[in-house]
């Protein structure tokens, strides 16, 4: 049976929401993946495959090399690879989402132009920085102005900042999950996780067998972003007061701009540490400490995954077979 969007052609708002969700929908290597429009992308080392359900009900499969920013040996080392991996995942995810949108609507298979891709990545990063760095900082300043929290050097300032970040993140995911097109993507997200679990368990890759596996996975990008948000809260609370003790610009506006700029730069080490944490917990997922670290991310995936049907599992299996060539 052919599947079409319940809302017709996805508008620019829905496509933008999906592109912003790239890291949320993506799972980290070894075998990882990402939900796309009416399909799934699976990555296996330097190869990726995208399977999409077309309007006529057929499955269209595309295989291509993984665009990498970590080919240099230095950038493959622990604590140096995290931020480049995040960027390359964003690039590959946006390209896959764009391609799937074209195929699922039977509009051809035009690739996003390099300049448009660069602009989309740049805008996505700028929006993320504005939403999760600048806006929470301004919110905390407002709280301090009302006398409900301390200044930039205080722990309460960064506690309010973190509370606002997590609130915005949860509200954003909850709100877009109400859109029918996004809900279907979240079903494919669940299908991706189930099929990866089946593959990693050595199970026969059929919808019937994959259906019994969990839709939650510890390597999911949702868990990665939760690590990033949590670590940023802790590091900001510890490092920003110390940084201001070393140097604080004269004038309140310059001081706040200085702090926001420092938070931008801290995203690189935060992403690096978060990446190593998620790899560590995925490798040792049976340990008590690692299970405790994974638990919040798994619970958050209850918002970003829904139970798929067998036809969605079939698409995810096609993508995985294309990636691993089985």
């Amino acid at each position: 049976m052919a599947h079409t969007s319940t809302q017709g052609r996805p508008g620019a708002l829905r496509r933008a929401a999906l592109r912003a969700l790239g890291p949320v929908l993506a799972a980290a290597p070894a075998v990882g993946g990402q939900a796309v429009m009416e399909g799934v992308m699976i990555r296996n080392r330097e190869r990726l495959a995208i399977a999409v359900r077309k309007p006529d009900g057929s499955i269209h499969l595309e295989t291509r090399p993984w665009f990498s920013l970590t080919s240099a040996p230095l950038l493959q080392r622990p604590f140096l690879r995290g931020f480049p991996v995040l960027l390359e995942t964003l690039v590959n995810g946006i390209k896959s989402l764009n391609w799937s949108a074209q195929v699922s609507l039977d509009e051809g298979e035009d690739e996003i132009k390099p300049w448009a891709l660069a602009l989309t990545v740049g805008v996505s990063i700028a929006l993320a920085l504005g939403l999760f760095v600048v806006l929470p900082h301004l919110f905390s300043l407002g709280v301090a102005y009302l006398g409900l929290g301390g200044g930039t050097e205080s722990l309460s300032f960064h506690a309010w900042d973190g509370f606002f970040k997590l609130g915005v993140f949860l509200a954003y995911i909850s709100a877009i999950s109400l859109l029918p097109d996004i809900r279907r993507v979240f079903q494919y997200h669940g299908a991706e996780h189930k099929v990866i679990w089946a593959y990693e368990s050595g199970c026969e890759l059929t919808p019937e067998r994959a259906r019994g596996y969990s839709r939650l996975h510890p390597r999911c990008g949702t868990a990665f972003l939760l690590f990033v948000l949590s670590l940023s809260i802790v590091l900001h609370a510890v490092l920003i007061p110390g940084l201001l003790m070393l140097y604080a610009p004269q004038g309140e506006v310059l001081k706040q701009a200085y702090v926001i700029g420092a938070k931008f730069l801290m995203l690189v080490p935060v992403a690096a540490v978060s990446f190593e944490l998620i790899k560590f917990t995925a490798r040792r997922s049976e340990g008590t400490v690692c299970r405790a670290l994974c638990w919040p991310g798994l619970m958050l995936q209850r918002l970003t995954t829904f139970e798929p049907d067998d036809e969605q599992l079939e698409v995810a299996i096609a993508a995985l077979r294309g990636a691993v060539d089985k």
Side-chain angles (χ1 to χ4, degrees):
M1 184 177 75
H3 289 288
T4 56
S5 165
T6 57
Q7 298 295 317
R9 290 170 58 93
L13 178 60
R14 263 167 280 174
R15 291 197 189 189
L18 276 174
R19 287 167 177 165
L21 275 175
V24 176
L25 301 173
V31 175
Q34 174 175 315
V36 295
M37 289 291 294
E38 289 301 324
V40 171
M41 178 267 278
I42 297 287
R43 178 217 180 161
N44 179 35
R45 300 184 185 276
E46 303 308 316
R47 175 189 179 100
L48 68 82
I50 317 166
V52 174
R53 181 79 70 178
K54 299 185 70 175
D56 63 6
S58 63
I59 298 175
H60 188 82
L61 179 68
E62 166 92 353
T63 60
R64 58 178 68 170
W66 176 265
F67 169 75
S68 179
L69 295 172
T70 56
S71 55
L74 181 65
L75 293 179
Q76 296 175 12
R77 294 187 176 183
F79 298 102
L80 293 179
R81 58 192 174 184
F83 190 69
V85 167
L86 177 61
L87 290 179
E88 70 183 31
T89 300
L90 186 61
V91 170
N92 284 287
I94 288 174
K95 291 175 71 175
S96 298
L97 283 166
N98 179 76
W99 183 87
S100 69
Q102 301 297 322
V103 173
S104 66
L105 295 170
D106 213 11
E107 294 180 342
E109 303 176 25
D110 295 336
E111 285 286 349
I112 185 171
K113 302 297 183 184
W115 65 267
L117 176 62
L119 180 62
T120 302
V121 171
V123 170
S124 298
I125 292 173
L127 287 174
L129 291 175
L131 196 59
F132 293 107
V133 178
V134 178
L135 199 57
H137 188 86
L138 295 177
F139 173 81
S140 298
L141 286 175
V143 170
Y145 178 78
L146 294 174
L148 300 176
T152 315
E153 297 85 351
S154 70
L155 180 61
S156 64
F157 183 94
H158 301 287
W160 278 113
D161 184 286
F163 172 78
F164 187 81
K165 282 179 187 174
L166 291 174
V168 167
F169 184 56
L170 293 173
Y172 174 73
I173 291 176
S174 300
I176 66 170
S177 68
L178 300 176
L179 296 171
D181 285 329
I182 303 297
R183 190 177 182 88
R184 282 195 62 78
V185 172
F186 284 177
Q187 286 181 286
Y188 277 107
H189 193 195
E192 173 226 326
H193 287 177
K194 285 175 177 282
V195 168
I196 289 176
W197 273 125
Y199 171 74
E200 291 175 337
S201 302
C203 176
E204 180 185 5
L205 293 179
T206 64
E208 294 76 19
R209 298 297 297 275
R211 190 188 311 138
Y213 285 89
S214 174
R215 74 177 199 264
L216 313 179
H217 200 287
R219 291 202 312 272
C220 179
T222 305
F224 175 75
L225 284 186
L226 190 59
F227 273 130
V228 168
L229 288 175
S230 301
L231 272 176
S232 68
I233 294 168
V234 174
L235 289 181
H236 292 169
V238 173
L239 297 180
I240 293 298
L243 191 65
L244 290 173
M245 287 178 64
L246 292 175
Y247 172 71
Q250 297 297 318
E252 192 60 26
V253 174
L254 283 178
K255 177 183 175 182
Q256 299 307 325
Y258 171 70
V259 171
I260 290 173
K263 288 181 177 181
F264 286 169
L265 295 178
M266 285 181 191
L267 284 175
V268 176
V270 165
V273 174
S274 298
F275 183 78
E276 301 307 324
L277 269 176
I278 201 170
K279 287 182 71 68
F280 176 81
T281 54
R283 286 196 303 266
R284 297 167 175 81
S285 57
E286 295 305 313
T288 303
V289 174
C290 289
R291 290 178 66 180
L293 288 172
C294 287
W295 185 82
L298 293 174
M299 293 303 100
L300 191 56
Q301 286 175 52
R302 294 186 181 277
L303 294 177
T304 64
T305 62
F306 292 115
E307 286 294 330
D309 58 35
D310 283 358
E311 292 189 341
Q312 290 168 323
L313 288 168
E314 185 183 14
V315 173
I317 289 169
L320 194 143
R321 289 186 181 275
V324 301
D325 199 23
K326 290 186 68 175

